[in-house]
Amino acid sequence: MHVHPDFTVDAPNSLPYGGLTRGTEEMKDRMSSFARYWDEPTFNVHAITADDEALVTAHVTLCAVGKATGERLEMEVVEVWSIEGGRISSQRTFYFDPVVARRAAGVTSEPST
């Protein structure tokens, strides 16, 4: 599966790598930002469901170690992907508890709104 050139990713604004990302260049920046906070990230897949050819939902557990704290994070995450013309057009990410993720990542400043 390929991504649409204008695809978007939306993650909780309270995360340092959250907010709305548009296109492949911004996504590369987001992935670099994610990597600044986490070591050893893995995603353990619990379920992937497809409503039809236009919507896919993934339930995963993100396991990672905060680079700044050494704290291990195990957080349930749900991702909802929209598909257009056989390409991923958008992804929305929902963390079970973004406050816990921020703490494990060592983020102490208040999230931007």
Side-chain angles (χ1 to χ4, degrees):
M1 172 113 9
H2 299 282
V3 297
H4 189 279
D6 295 322
F7 84 107
T8 60
V9 177
D10 194 3
N13 287 329
S14 60
L15 297 172
Y17 44 85
L20 183 65
T21 300
R22 186 176 305 279
T24 55
E25 289 306 311
E26 287 184 17
M27 185 60 189
K28 288 177 189 176
D29 292 343
R30 176 181 292 223
M31 296 192 70
S32 293
S33 180
F34 180 90
R36 282 193 296 271
Y37 292 93
W38 302 110
D39 275 330
E40 306 170 31
T42 60
F43 294 87
N44 299 321
V45 178
H46 302 290
I48 296 177
T49 57
D51 182 22
D52 53 32
E53 291 185 23
L55 189 67
V56 176
T57 304
H59 174 209
V60 303
T61 296
L62 165 62
C63 299
V65 176
K67 286 186 176 182
T69 65
E71 185 177 335
R72 181 140 182 89
L73 175 72
E74 289 191 20
M75 175 75 54
E76 288 190 60
V77 176
V78 172
E79 295 182 345
V80 179
W81 302 325
S82 296
I83 313 298
E84 291 179 19
R87 294 179 172 195
I88 300 170
S89 60
S90 68
Q91 174 192 331
R92 294 194 68 201
T93 303
F94 302 90
Y95 279 63
F96 180 75
D97 191 342
V99 172
V100 171
R102 287 172 54 80
R103 185 184 66 233
V107 177
T108 57
S109 60
E110 290 297 315
S112 60
T113 55

